[in-house]
Amino acid sequence: MTHRNNCLTKLKNYALVGIASIAIFGCETSSNNSGDNTAATVTTAINASYDSQFRGNYWTKEDSQAVYLNEEASIDDRIKDLMSRMSLEEKCAQMIQGERKHVSDDDIEQYGLGSLLSGGGSLPGDNEIEDWQMMITDYQSAAYKRKLKIPLIYGIDAVHGHSNVRGATIYPHNIGLGAANNDSLMFLMGKLTSQEVFMTGINWNFSPCLALARDPRWGRTYESFSTDHNIISKLGRAYTKGAMSVNMVACAKHYIGDGGTTYGTGLGEKVDRGNTEITNEELTNELLPPYRAQLDQKVQTVMPSYSLINGVKMHAHDSLMNKVLKGEMGFEGFLISDWQAIHEIPNQTFEQQIATSVNAGVDMLMEPEKWKEALELLVKNVNDGNISLERIDNAVTRILRVKFESGLFEDPAQRVNQNKATQLRSNEAKSVATALGEQSMVLLKNDNGALPLKEGSKVLLIGEGSNNIGLQCGGWTIEWQGGVDKDGKRHTEGVTILEGLNAAAGENKMEIITDETRANEADVVLLVLSERPYAEMQGDSDDLSLTGTHAHEGNKDAIAAAQKSGKPVVCVMLAGRHLVDLDRHIGNWDAAVMAYLPGSEGGSAITNVLTGKKNFVGKVPMPWYDKIEDIKKPSAKLLYEVGYGLTY
Ligand code: BGC
Ligand code: BGC
């Protein structure tokens, strides 16, 4: 079934087949507006009793007596009882995760998969809240039609807010959060993001990312808080604490070595998915501590990295997954493989890759497309003696524990979840995202009192990023690789820099000019430079200049126009990493601000620091190299050291 948008038709169909199993708040409105009594009656009936949603229609007498379906029973007893009822096939199915585009409701009913995900940009219907709720409800209803009624756990990358969903609050990407380094705000971000995720019926977020990015040529650099593992531990911990305070299932990723790979060993002979060379000391002192911090918070899931550690694929790394993470560190949750990552285990058939990764500790396989084959081969591996039944039982126990603990059995589609937000981009969420944005800004240079912008001044604002939500949000926003506003259509909701400045212009008696031919009237030029949005794989680049491969194509002209104006220039950079030829340009500017990828509220955040309403507190969270050749060289002369950042 494709989850298209016609709520009304859908409700009627449900009424016809007698399954009062959906209650979509948006549908209520549309049915009321339409004045269609049938639909309105159906909606009311559906809302009348939550029990009738997932229980009333399907529960048999036997079910009401089953220990595992009794929420009063202990989780251990519930797991034991459920496990005793499951066949090998049912157990193996719990260990498989498919992707929504490749799995129908009927597939769920037939195979009983344990999990589904939305890949980056994999969106139901018109990407409205109701589309999501309806999709999840349909899937969970399908799972409920099976004898054992085990709910699915649905995962999504809400990596900087619920970033697949149009209109969600988009927070700064991790690199900016590392510059802000504020754990109280991170706690709130974890909590508020989770609350928006619950609105869509989902309770598992593939976040936080604890990458330690050492090479800015890596396209995922912005997913890393810092090169300082203490900052990663502190911010990751606070975020997970916030998420878990409302019972979101968090996912610490990517265990481990992501960001540390040697240039030339990754995809396209670059960085992503390459090999990380480390010593035991680095492993113990730098890479594992952020995960220890997550385990202190009792994080329930961990995703291994695509990368290799000293030549061994993390997804096949028995010692680091079984011995270290589950053994020495005592991780009791489950390991979810990354997207088709086990396919990259070299020189093995798919069947062998499944055995290798599961035996090395992976508990659930993210197999977006080949889920059916993965399921068959997992069962075959057990029957052939390549994977022990004991190992399967252990994996399934871990998965079921998370499902029970997170309340999925009682509320599979987050219908009655008291923690869910009542709207996207609430005032509270916007203010936390704005505060994080403000604190993430790093003031690199401020000569001749160029900043704060003066009261009464005329500001010429140029550069594509000055009025483009997509550019200030970056990758993993609505689409996997992100996108830009075009043809008057915004990539998602938010406040652009132009809008932020205009909103503050009255109070500051400023005039914002966007017409370059009026440059002569301006007191100052605000030059906004940006990178085009990108994400994993496609974001790798070995030309990190301000006009390099991933820079916005308008940067060059904007730089020239600013120069030509002869006015004082303040440059604001929207980028996911520290660009390298800055030294060639910064001498021409009076002030420069690194804004990273500040998200939907970026325009307000930038305005508040530029006008001096807020001071700068952000500090460079990673080394800022001047030249590509210097990257990762301990002897390199840096443009800015970690911790650099001016204030007013
Ligand atoms: C990424 C993960 C992400 C997963 C699901 C992978 O390609 O590496 O970070 O959680 O896809 O979208
Ligand atoms: C998906 C992402 C995933 C990536 C991995 C994309 O098609 O949308 O979520 O991480 O593939 O290759």
Side-chain angles (χ1 to χ4, degrees):
M1 147 166 337
T2 56
H3 297 275
R4 292 308 306 183
N5 34 350
N6 196 335
C7 299
L8 211 57
T9 321
K10 193 86 184 273
L11 276 169
K12 287 178 188 161
N13 290 342
Y14 270 84
L16 283 178
V17 292
I19 303 170
S21 71
I22 54 167
I24 308 302
F25 306 118
C27 290
E28 257 177 277
T29 329
S30 60
S31 58
N32 291 341
N33 291 348
S34 74
D36 181 322
N37 285 333
T38 324
T41 317
V42 175
T43 314
T44 316
I46 289 166
N47 275 333
S49 155
Y50 169 70
D51 259 10
S52 74
Q53 162 123 9
F54 285 111
R55 294 187 189 172
N57 288 297
Y58 305 111
W59 271 28
T60 61
K61 198 164 159 232
E62 197 191 327
D63 290 331
S64 4
Q65 286 157 4
V67 172
Y68 80 96
L69 288 172
N70 175 5
E71 53 184 300
E72 308 292 314
S74 77
I75 288 182
D76 284 340
D77 288 348
R78 295 178 78 178
I79 295 173
K80 208 167 138 220
D81 179 52
L82 178 51
M83 292 285 285
S84 74
R85 297 165 190 258
M86 293 169 80
S87 66
L88 175 63
E89 285 72 16
E90 280 165 330
K91 287 177 180 172
C92 289
Q94 284 301 307
M95 295 170 65
I96 306 290
Q97 179 184 64
E99 208 278 345
R100 59 167 284 279
K101 284 189 199 146
H102 305 282
V103 185
S104 67
D105 298 345
D106 291 346
D107 289 332
I108 292 300
E109 190 179 342
Q110 187 178 345
Y111 297 95
L113 296 191
S115 179
L116 285 175
L117 89 151
S118 270
S122 178
L123 321 160
D126 291 339
N127 195 10
E128 301 287 340
I129 292 289
E130 305 87 79
D131 296 309
W132 289 91
Q133 291 178 338
M134 189 178 296
M135 172 183 76
I136 302 289
T137 303
D138 285 344
Y139 278 135
Q140 297 292 23
S141 303
Y144 236 70
K145 288 183 199 156
R146 292 178 57 82
K147 183 163 182 294
L148 290 177
K149 307 175 173 60
I150 307 175
L152 296 153
I153 182 160
Y154 196 103
I156 196 159
D157 297 287
V159 293
H160 60 144
H162 198 4
S163 44
N164 281 288
V165 178
R166 169 158 266 280
T169 315
I170 307 296
Y171 294 81
H173 266 301
N174 284 0
I175 189 169
L177 300 172
N181 195 13
N182 181 323
D183 53 349
S184 323
L185 288 175
M186 286 305 294
F187 174 91
L188 291 174
M189 173 183 167
K191 180 176 160 197
L192 293 161
T193 297
S194 303
Q195 292 179 320
E196 291 194 10
V197 174
F198 289 142
M199 284 180 79
T200 51
I202 299 173
N203 79 329
W204 184 17
N205 183 0
F206 303 134
S207 166
C209 177
L210 307 171
L212 197 157
R214 294 197 190 278
D215 189 335
R217 286 169 291 193
W218 191 38
R220 306 190 79 161
T221 298
Y222 64 75
E223 293 188 62
S224 170
F225 291 121
S226 175
T227 41
D228 178 346
H229 67 90
N230 292 309
I231 294 182
I232 303 176
S233 297
K234 169 177 147 187
L235 300 184
R237 179 202 306 261
Y239 178 90
T240 295
K241 194 172 180 188
M244 294 189 66
S245 74
V246 289
N247 210 11
M248 172 58 67
V249 178
C251 181
K253 73 185 188 185
H254 309 84
Y255 180 79
I256 54 178
D258 52 340
T261 60
T262 306
Y263 183 82
T265 62
L267 291 174
E269 295 179 359
K270 290 201 172 76
V271 190
D272 199 32
R273 307 189 182 187
N275 179 40
T276 300
E277 297 282 348
I278 43 156
T279 61
N280 272 336
E281 287 69 50
E282 285 168 319
L283 175 71
T284 315
N285 301 335
E286 293 191 59
L287 296 191
L288 292 179
Y291 286 87
R292 287 193 205 286
Q294 292 292 310
L295 297 192
D296 288 349
Q297 295 305 318
K298 301 246 173 300
V299 73
Q300 289 152 304
T301 68
V302 171
M303 188 187 291
S305 170
Y306 276 117
S307 41
L308 304 89
I309 291 279
N310 300 335
V312 180
K313 283 275 180 197
M314 269 310 304
H315 280 76
H317 215 302
D318 175 63
S319 154
L320 283 173
M321 292 196 289
N322 276 335
K323 193 163 143 267
V324 176
L325 185 69
K326 288 182 170 175
E328 290 161 20
M329 288 166 70
F331 174 56
E332 287 175 355
F334 70 86
L335 274 159
I336 167 79
S337 63
D338 203 344
W339 181 282
Q340 293 177 344
I342 68 164
H343 301 204
E344 297 181 9
I345 297 173
N347 310 319
Q348 295 193 1
T349 62
F350 191 33
E351 183 176 341
Q352 291 167 328
Q353 289 164 336
I354 291 174
T356 302
S357 55
V358 170
N359 285 328
V362 172
D363 301 295
M364 185 185 275
L365 300 168
M366 188 188 290
E367 284 301 327
E369 295 171 33
K370 291 175 86 179
W371 56 268
K372 205 183 286 180
E373 202 180 335
L375 173 55
E376 279 162 19
L377 293 173
L378 182 57
V379 174
K380 181 169 185 292
N381 266 310
V382 181
N383 288 331
D384 291 353
N386 302 325
I387 301 176
S388 69
L389 196 52
E390 203 186 342
R391 171 70 194 105
I392 299 291
D393 283 348
N394 179 273
V396 179
T397 300
R398 288 168 178 269
I399 293 164
L400 292 178
R401 183 175 301 283
V402 173
K403 291 189 176 183
F404 281 120
E405 278 174 2
S406 63
L408 266 178
F409 278 79
E410 283 68 55
D411 191 12
Q414 311 308 309
R415 282 266 339 271
V416 293
N417 185 337
Q418 298 291 316
N419 286 314
K420 72 181 167 198
T422 48
Q423 67 174 107
L424 296 172
R425 276 183 90 223
S426 67
N427 287 337
E428 187 189 4
K430 280 192 282 191
S431 76
V432 171
T434 306
L436 279 165
E438 290 159 359
Q439 298 190 16
S440 72
M441 308 282 152
V442 181
L443 182 60
L444 299 173
K445 170 179 181 176
N446 191 18
D447 285 357
N448 313 317
L451 286 176
L453 297 172
K454 291 187 191 48
E455 233 189 63
S457 60
K458 287 189 179 181
V459 181
L460 173 65
L461 180 63
I462 59 173
E464 185 57 32
S466 60
N467 195 22
N468 196 308
I469 294 288
L471 288 177
Q472 69 193 44
C473 290
W476 294 106
T477 311
I478 313 295
E479 290 158 41
W480 178 37
Q481 298 285 327
V484 296
D485 305 8
K486 50 175 183 272
D487 308 326
K489 192 175 174 292
R490 283 171 175 246
H491 193 57
T492 188
E493 310 300 322
V495 181
T496 67
I497 301 176
L498 174 63
E499 290 163 346
L501 286 169
N502 272 332
E507 196 181 320
N508 294 283
K509 304 186 183 63
M510 289 184 319
E511 186 187 344
I512 313 300
I513 307 171
T514 54
D515 177 359
E516 274 178 42
T517 61
R518 290 175 59 197
N520 59 324
E521 293 173 38
D523 299 302
V524 59
V525 177
L526 192 55
L527 163 67
V528 182
L529 300 179
S530 39
E531 277 193 298
R532 267 183 284 109
Y534 54 78
E536 49 172 338
M537 307 202 272
Q538 301 178 27
D540 278 21
S541 168
D542 42 24
D543 178 1
L544 296 179
S545 70
L546 290 176
T547 53
T549 52
H550 289 59
H552 193 277
E553 52 279 11
N555 284 1
K556 197 164 170 232
D557 287 349
I559 293 171
Q563 195 58 25
K564 200 175 129 219
S565 73
K567 307 281 177 171
V569 176
V570 173
C571 175
V572 173
M573 279 171 280
L574 296 171
R577 48 191 156 190
H578 298 148
L579 300 173
V580 293
D581 67 349
L582 192 59
D583 217 19
R584 271 183 41 215
H585 301 272
I586 204 165
N588 299 326
W589 306 330
D590 295 76
V593 174
M594 180 57 172
Y596 299 103
L597 295 166
S600 57
E601 316 314 313
S604 312
I606 290 171
T607 299
N608 291 346
V609 288
L610 292 184
T611 56
K613 185 173 173 192
K614 290 285 157 68
N615 203 342
F616 282 92
V617 295
K619 306 288 176 213
V620 165
M622 298 177 189
W624 196 315
Y625 297 103
D626 192 18
K627 300 186 186 62
I628 291 279
E629 307 81 79
D630 287 346
I631 292 173
K632 287 171 94 172
K633 291 233 176 74
S635 59
K637 195 176 158 290
L638 298 174
L639 207 48
Y640 304 108
E641 305 270 349
V642 174
Y644 176 86
L646 306 173
T647 56
Y648 287 138

